[in-house]
Amino acid sequence: MLESYTITLEVKRYDPDTKLTWMQAYQVEASGILRFVDVLREINDEQDPTLAWPSSCEHAQCGSCGIIVNGKPLLACELLVKDAVEQFRTHKFRLRPLTIAPVLRDLVVDLEKAYDRVHKAKPYLIKPTSPHPDGDEYRIAPKTLEMYSEATRCINCFCCATACISSHHHFLGPNATMANMVRLMDPRETAKKERMDILYRENNVYRCHTARACSFVCPKEIDVSHFLALGKEGRF
Amino acid sequence: MGEALTIDSTLRCDVLVIGAGGVGLRAATQIGEHRPGTRIIALTKAFSPQKSHTTTAQGGMAAVDPKDPVDRPIFHMFDTWKGSDCSADQNVVKKVCDMGWEEMVWLERHGMHFSRTEEGRIAKRPFGGHMLNFGETKAFRACYEADRTGKGIMDTVWAECLKYGVNFIGQCIATEILFKDGHCIGTIIFRFPEGKFLAILAKATIIATGGKTKMYLVSSNCRGNTGDGLALALNAGLPVMDLEAVQFHPTGMVGPGILASEALRGEGAILRNKDEEPFMERYAPTAKDLAPRDLISRAIIQEIREGRGLFHEGHNAHHVWLDLRHLPKEVHEKKIQEVCSFFKRFVGVDPEKDLCPVTPTAHYQMGGIPTNEFGEVQGDTQGIVPGLFACGEVAAASLHGLNRLGTNSLLELITMGRVTGERVIEYLKDAKEPEALSPGAPHMVFDQFSTYLHAQGKEKYAQIRDTLRNLMMEKVGIFRTEKPLQEAIEELRELKERATHIPLAATSLRANQDLWQLWELNNLITVSMVIAQGALARKESRGAHFREDYPKRSDEFNYHTLVYMPQFNEVSFGKRPIDMSIFEAKGEHFELFDYIEREY
Ligand SMILES: Cc1cc2nc3c(=O)[nH]c(=O)nc-3n(C[C@H](O)[C@H](O)[C@H](O)COP(=O)(O)OP(=O)(O)OC[C@H]3O[C@@H](n4cnc5c(N)ncnc54)[C@H](O)[C@@H]3O)c2cc1C
Ligand code: SF4
Ligand code: SF4
Ligand code: FES
């Protein structure tokens, strides 16, 4: 049967007009199968329409809804109330915006700015190999693809970058670095030298201390630090 | 609210893409690659184009390699025509099916990570309604990247755009299309972070705002799929076409309606009722679980109506089962990894061991802004509107007619995106830089926003939104009849009026989610009205549009519905003929492209 929970969300709020920051608590009676985005919507509907929070696809595919819950960066759209209660062993949750970009309002941060990091990693093929002699697709063995296909699942939610201690200053961050790694491992890319420059540039992969926080928090369960380690070792 | 509503600044470009999803950016890459130096601006509501809804598409993209030993483009054309229930435009069907493979190779060569066969070639899987030899047996035609094909496309075109220096503007809504002497000259956008209006003037504008089924209670669409593009066109006095054709995907996960891709059935999953009977065998003896979506969705509702469905208490919804238990572990882990994880996470079932509860979910709208086969927008009497283009899910060229086959939409993105891009390049040859807007000129968007900001009353946003979603689901959903449709139209009128009495809790323009959503709600009501009106007028059943009081297709309705609604509820109708050029060319198998029977 339907299990219901009384939970409290303590939300870190920010008003761009007054520049004020404060904590505000909302108590909600929520069915266990609701996602955190549903709970936030319920708060908008029943209690406070001014509370702003980000989302788009609402099923863990676009990476828009990252927030920090009790210290852990995660996707608000895939955290069910019952799982949250179990995982954090509490009915009280502190919600904060991601720390990777400036806050626009409440839980919404300017991920548009955070994306600059990914753009710098040049996620495209800089210089593709010449076409297959038949004029059709380049041939890639499934085994080769498997070496890096996990990394292509990244949705740029920036949870890893938020968790990563070193990403705040000049380090491109785990997800952007991984995007570069994908193309280093992609047999169709010939501009390996340029890619290595991006990888080993002062601000990049050596900033990573292999503490693996990124792999730990990734909602897509990608072993991000594995790909960074390959980069450090030059195995691609 | 002290601030006056004004245009803060003006940007200029050659090409403006309203909607940086799969199709918008495929068009942009075509222009970037073949006309270097073109100044392109691409808009999205999301933080980044990469977060557009195309990214959630799972199953695949149909395309026939002309060198394929068994499949042929003409089979694909036939399936698309038959799938549409004889209402697609054959000039577009032919063009898209002929170009398909070339575009797969384009994507692959620009870095998409397709799944591969042992020989290293692009892998293919079967999908609903796609068959060999004119309906004989299932075809392996859908090229895919595991169950994240849309993400593969989105990542590719988005990254390519970075190469060409396309200027992305995120977190914004295009609120009004601008015209001068009948030419489209750009748009006015409203930016979420700063709460400012900007004019963007362009020589050519492409509307590519994508999907729009968020007016239904159960929907696979994202939060922002609110029909903005259609509302913009309607407000500008332009017609929209075939909006009554709304596709319900048979397998939404019970609850919010998250999609469980047809790829699951492509890989062998089976629908079962409460007695675990594989009931599709009764409805479509040949195609079974791979029959087209409209047919399966109706079959599911029929099973539920006749007492062979189940009831999910947690989500308070009826459903049937999708059975994936017999699929090999390898398939679960590699080919349908994301979807399996959704079932585990959102529904709490493990598809390897448990039956999965599914129910039809509003998924796709076949209709849209009418265009010709080059993506040029048609205005009155089907003449084109200079400077205005549309493609992708917001447009209707029409590849799908009144019912779309799975995997044909992603195909449409990359083919029609390219075609539209090519046309824009042509158009730019003689296009002039638009003149500056006269300062202080009146704009519709300012009227709309002032109404929202000054509204007084007791109405609540959430109530109106929920009433709308329930109403559309019940009365303008899978099964339709005259009386409920008339009631729906009446209720939509009321909702529109009530929506002007929603007081905003905060009237700051900056990062005001409430204000933004109110604008979207108005678009949803506008588009819903046109869906209901179209559904009432089409007194027949064809493709996804099913009238219980007129359950058969009727030759009388062999046309596309055009609806104009320059003011809310000021509705007028028009017709566009269905293009029959494959039939009329009298080539090989032309007789199959007549108004044929549709059985699976
Ligand atoms: C869950 C799901 C799975 C699917 N799976 C498949 C599949 O396997 N195969 C298949 O062929 N099809 C599939 N489809 C359908 C297909 O994915 C869509 O039809 C297609 O992706 C739409 O692409 P688009 O580029 O037209 O729009 P979108 O990708 O939705 O992009 C629209 C863009 O416009 C922006 N926008 C919207 N309104 C405004 C505005 N007012 N101002 C500025 N910007 C705006 C949006 O933010 C977005 O960036 C699926 C659809 C869904 C929902
Ligand atoms: S690696 Fe994982 S956590 Fe990091 S951005 Fe990608 S999906 Fe998010
Ligand atoms: S392993 Fe490296 S990239 Fe990952 S969180 Fe630690 S420092 Fe950051
Ligand atoms: S809203 Fe898309 S990942 Fe959560």
Side-chain angles (χ1 to χ4, degrees):
Chain A
M1 226 347 271
L2 236 194
E3 224 179 323
S4 181
Y5 299 78
T6 306
I7 55 169
T8 304
L9 303 191
E10 272 181 19
V11 183
K12 183 170 181 194
R13 302 204 56 185
Y14 168 73
D15 181 346
D17 295 310
T18 57
K19 308 265 183 298
L20 291 179
T21 299
W22 70 102
M23 294 301 293
Q24 188 161 346
Y26 301 95
Q27 206 183 61
V28 191
E29 185 67 35
S31 148
I33 51 177
L34 288 189
R35 306 164 289 186
F36 263 50
V37 286
D38 299 317
V39 176
L40 289 165
R41 200 171 0 250
E42 212 163 289
I43 292 175
N44 282 158
D45 292 355
E46 310 283 336
Q47 304 185 33
D48 183 358
T50 66
L51 174 67
W53 50 278
S55 83
S56 177
C57 74
E58 303 197 345
H59 64 284
Q61 283 295 77
C62 74
S64 299
C65 65
I67 54 170
I68 302 175
V69 176
N70 290 1
K72 186 180 179 195
L74 47 75
L75 300 177
C77 74
E78 67 164 4
L79 182 63
L80 302 195
V81 169
K82 66 177 163 67
D83 297 340
V85 168
E86 193 175 313
Q87 185 184 340
F88 295 104
R89 297 178 185 286
T90 172
H91 287 72
K92 210 170 185 177
F93 303 96
R94 283 172 73 91
L95 273 54
R96 286 187 296 131
L98 294 185
T99 50
I100 193 74
V103 182
L104 295 173
R105 186 186 285 280
D106 304 335
L107 297 173
V108 184
V109 307
D110 198 348
L111 281 191
E112 209 173 342
K113 291 222 168 72
Y115 257 91
D116 287 347
R117 295 168 183 269
V118 184
H119 296 176
K120 283 192 189 131
K122 306 192 175 179
Y124 40 84
L125 290 173
I126 299 171
K127 206 165 163 289
T129 46
S130 39
H132 188 268
D134 287 354
D136 45 29
E137 79 270 36
Y138 189 85
R139 309 295 192 260
I140 300 180
K143 278 210 162 34
T144 311
L145 178 63
E146 250 171 56
M147 312 268 278
Y148 59 92
S149 67
E150 269 301 293
T152 69
R153 295 176 58 241
C154 168
I155 54 176
N156 287 321
C157 65
F158 294 92
C159 285
C160 56
T162 297
C164 170
I165 31 153
S166 30
S167 75
H168 292 269
H169 306 294
H170 301 296
F171 180 32
L172 277 187
N175 52 330
T177 305
M178 190 168 69
N180 185 35
M181 279 304 296
V182 165
R183 294 306 185 191
L184 269 166
M185 298 174 81
D186 187 333
R188 295 168 296 186
E189 175 68 284
T190 62
K192 304 284 184 204
K193 165 87 178 54
E194 186 176 341
R195 295 228 166 257
M196 306 234 285
D197 289 346
I198 299 176
L199 186 67
Y200 298 127
R201 200 179 284 158
E202 194 213 334
N203 64 9
N204 216 330
V205 76
Y206 289 117
R207 297 265 167 163
C208 161
H209 318 306
T210 326
R212 309 205 55 210
C214 50
S215 301
F216 176 68
V217 300
C218 175
K220 304 305 284 181
E221 293 170 1
I222 303 167
D223 190 355
V224 192
S225 63
H226 159 75
F227 289 97
L228 269 68
L230 291 182
K232 280 198 231 176
E233 292 161 19
R235 288 201 289 140
F236 33 77
Chain B
M1 215 272 317
E3 302 157 76
L5 302 178
T6 52
I7 290 174
D8 185 73
S9 53
T10 299
L11 300 175
R12 285 181 175 275
C13 61
D14 299 312
V15 181
L16 168 67
V17 181
I18 305 180
V23 81
L25 296 193
R26 178 64 188 92
T29 50
Q30 186 66 18
I31 300 164
E33 202 170 352
H34 296 278
R35 194 177 183 278
T38 306
R39 300 165 302 162
I40 306 174
I41 293 182
L43 311 176
T44 176
K45 289 167 101 168
F47 293 112
S48 157
Q50 199 198 18
K51 305 208 175 312
S52 297
H53 210 47
T54 293
T55 231
T56 65
Q58 302 168 354
M61 178 168 41
V64 182
D65 178 354
K67 286 184 273 188
D68 193 292
V70 289
D71 204 356
R72 294 175 55 198
I74 191 148
F75 300 154
H76 187 191
M77 292 173 207
F78 170 76
D79 294 337
T80 305
W81 170 247
K82 181 178 171 187
S84 79
D85 215 347
C86 307
S87 55
D89 287 306
Q90 295 183 357
N91 54 346
V92 179
V93 173
K94 179 160 184 357
K95 175 179 270 184
V96 166
C97 294
D98 277 338
M99 273 174 76
W101 182 250
E102 212 179 292
E103 282 301 293
M104 293 307 128
V105 175
W106 184 92
L107 280 170
E108 198 279 335
R109 296 203 40 76
H110 289 77
M112 181 163 160
H113 306 287
F114 282 103
S115 296
R116 303 287 176 154
T117 63
E118 282 309 314
E119 296 76 48
R121 304 210 54 183
I122 296 175
K124 294 175 191 168
R125 59 162 60 117
F127 240 80
H130 289 279
M131 304 182 96
L132 294 177
N133 305 330
F134 307 111
E136 251 176 51
T137 168
K138 68 184 177 190
F140 283 75
R141 188 182 290 158
C143 305
Y144 60 92
E145 177 173 331
D147 50 356
R148 43 179 187 276
T149 312
K151 175 168 159 49
I153 297 170
M154 202 61 241
D155 286 3
T156 305
V157 292
W158 156 72
E160 278 301 296
C161 280
L162 292 172
K163 237 190 219 176
Y164 304 119
V166 172
N167 180 4
F168 298 135
I169 304 182
Q171 308 180 77
C172 71
I173 42 179
T175 52
E176 175 172 340
I177 310 174
L178 298 169
F179 293 91
K180 173 91 187 188
D181 305 327
H183 283 62
C184 176
I185 56 164
T187 189
I188 297 177
I189 66 167
F190 178 69
R191 276 264 302 167
F192 181 77
E194 309 85 17
K196 289 197 167 137
F197 293 94
L198 271 71
I200 304 184
L201 298 182
K203 293 178 186 166
T205 300
I206 304 173
I207 306 181
T209 51
K212 50 237 185 254
T213 64
K214 215 50 194 174
M215 64 287 279
Y216 288 92
L217 183 65
V218 182
S219 167
S220 68
N221 279 203
C222 69
R223 186 174 171 188
N225 271 3
T226 51
D228 304 352
L230 298 180
L232 293 188
L234 286 162
N235 291 343
L238 295 169
V240 293
M241 188 165 100
D242 294 341
L243 289 207
E244 64 271 27
V246 178
Q247 174 166 84
F248 282 80
H249 193 293
T251 57
M253 291 178 201
V254 79
I258 296 166
L259 190 77
S261 172
E262 200 167 296
L264 304 182
R265 280 170 289 129
E267 298 290 349
I270 296 170
L271 284 160
R272 298 183 186 277
N273 59 21
K274 85 168 192 241
D275 308 319
E276 299 196 17
E277 180 211 0
F279 59 87
M280 277 316 296
E281 292 181 0
R282 270 189 280 120
Y283 295 86
T286 312
K288 298 189 183 104
D289 290 276
L290 285 179
R293 293 174 179 176
D294 56 324
L295 242 121
I296 302 188
S297 287
R298 286 195 292 272
I300 291 175
I301 300 295
Q302 199 63 28
E303 289 297 294
I304 292 172
R305 280 181 172 184
E306 290 171 8
R308 291 187 295 277
L310 300 104
F311 188 74
H312 192 284
E313 299 219 9
H315 286 296
N316 197 18
H318 294 278
H319 67 90
V320 294
W321 296 123
L322 187 66
D323 187 357
L324 293 115
R325 295 172 301 182
H326 54 290
L327 304 185
K329 203 170 177 57
E330 154 98 7
V331 169
H332 281 270
E333 282 171 5
K334 294 226 175 92
K335 292 182 159 180
I336 51 174
Q337 173 189 14
E338 313 288 345
V339 189
C340 287
S341 79
F342 301 158
F343 270 120
K344 286 184 200 145
R345 255 189 207 134
F346 298 109
V347 195
V349 297
D350 179 354
E352 273 190 75
K353 297 192 217 97
D354 308 317
L355 289 164
C356 301
V358 293
T359 178
T361 182
H363 181 56
Y364 187 88
Q365 197 172 41
M366 274 63 70
I369 300 171
T371 72
N372 61 16
E373 60 174 308
F374 307 107
E376 291 166 314
V377 169
Q378 295 179 329
D380 254 345
T381 63
Q382 281 130 64
I384 60 170
V385 181
L388 188 59
F389 302 78
C391 45
E393 191 170 337
V394 75
S398 157
L399 175 65
H400 315 297
L402 270 74
N403 184 57
R404 163 177 85 96
L405 294 186
T407 70
N408 266 358
S409 171
L410 292 179
L411 174 66
E412 179 180 22
L413 301 188
I414 52 158
T415 52
M416 288 307 288
R418 168 175 144 194
V419 166
T420 306
E422 284 168 348
R423 201 64 171 190
V424 168
I425 294 175
E426 276 302 301
Y427 180 82
L428 287 176
K429 282 185 185 151
D430 307 309
K432 291 195 189 59
E433 190 77 41
E435 286 168 32
L437 296 180
S438 40
H443 289 293
M444 189 188 300
V445 57
F446 296 152
D447 295 342
Q448 291 172 339
F449 273 60
S450 338
T451 317
Y452 308 151
L453 292 165
H454 294 117
Q456 305 282 331
K458 290 212 169 58
E459 297 294 349
K460 287 213 160 103
Y461 161 80
Q463 252 170 25
I464 297 188
R465 177 200 64 203
D466 294 348
T467 310
L468 173 73
R469 289 186 183 166
N470 281 303
L471 163 73
M472 291 301 287
M473 202 75 193
E474 274 167 36
K475 298 186 174 169
V476 200
I478 298 179
F479 287 104
R480 301 161 174 183
T481 2
E482 179 148 316
K483 194 149 166 297
L485 285 171
Q486 283 166 338
E487 288 164 8
I489 289 171
E490 216 31 64
E491 288 168 51
L492 286 165
R493 268 187 209 125
E494 277 165 34
L495 286 182
K496 178 72 183 179
E497 158 58 27
R498 284 174 57 193
T500 58
H501 302 293
I502 304 174
L504 287 173
T507 54
S508 160
L509 292 177
R510 211 172 280 143
N512 187 341
Q513 167 182 303
D514 214 14
L515 170 66
W516 178 285
Q517 290 185 162
L518 188 52
W519 181 79
E520 292 181 326
L521 178 66
N522 274 279
N523 293 338
L524 284 172
I525 299 175
T526 298
V527 176
S528 299
M529 180 55 117
V530 179
I531 298 176
Q533 293 276 5
L536 181 65
R538 192 173 274 279
K539 293 183 173 28
E540 65 155 356
S541 292
R542 190 186 292 255
H545 168 67
F546 195 89
R547 286 282 299 258
E548 291 192 274
D549 40 357
Y550 301 96
K552 290 241 152 30
R553 191 176 82 201
S554 151
D555 283 343
E556 222 186 299
F557 289 92
N558 285 344
Y559 58 78
H560 299 287
T561 312
L562 294 176
V563 176
Y564 300 78
M565 197 172 75
Q567 300 288 333
F568 188 77
N569 201 31
E570 206 178 276
V571 180
S572 60
F573 290 91
K575 295 176 184 177
R576 188 175 108 173
I578 294 169
D579 182 283
M580 301 281 287
S581 48
I582 302 180
F583 176 73
E584 284 155 6
K586 302 273 180 249
E588 194 193 6
H589 304 295
F590 77 96
E591 69 288 350
L592 294 170
F593 292 83
D594 200 352
Y595 291 99
I596 50 167
E597 285 291 319
R598 183 168 178 253
E599 268 164 21
Y600 287 92

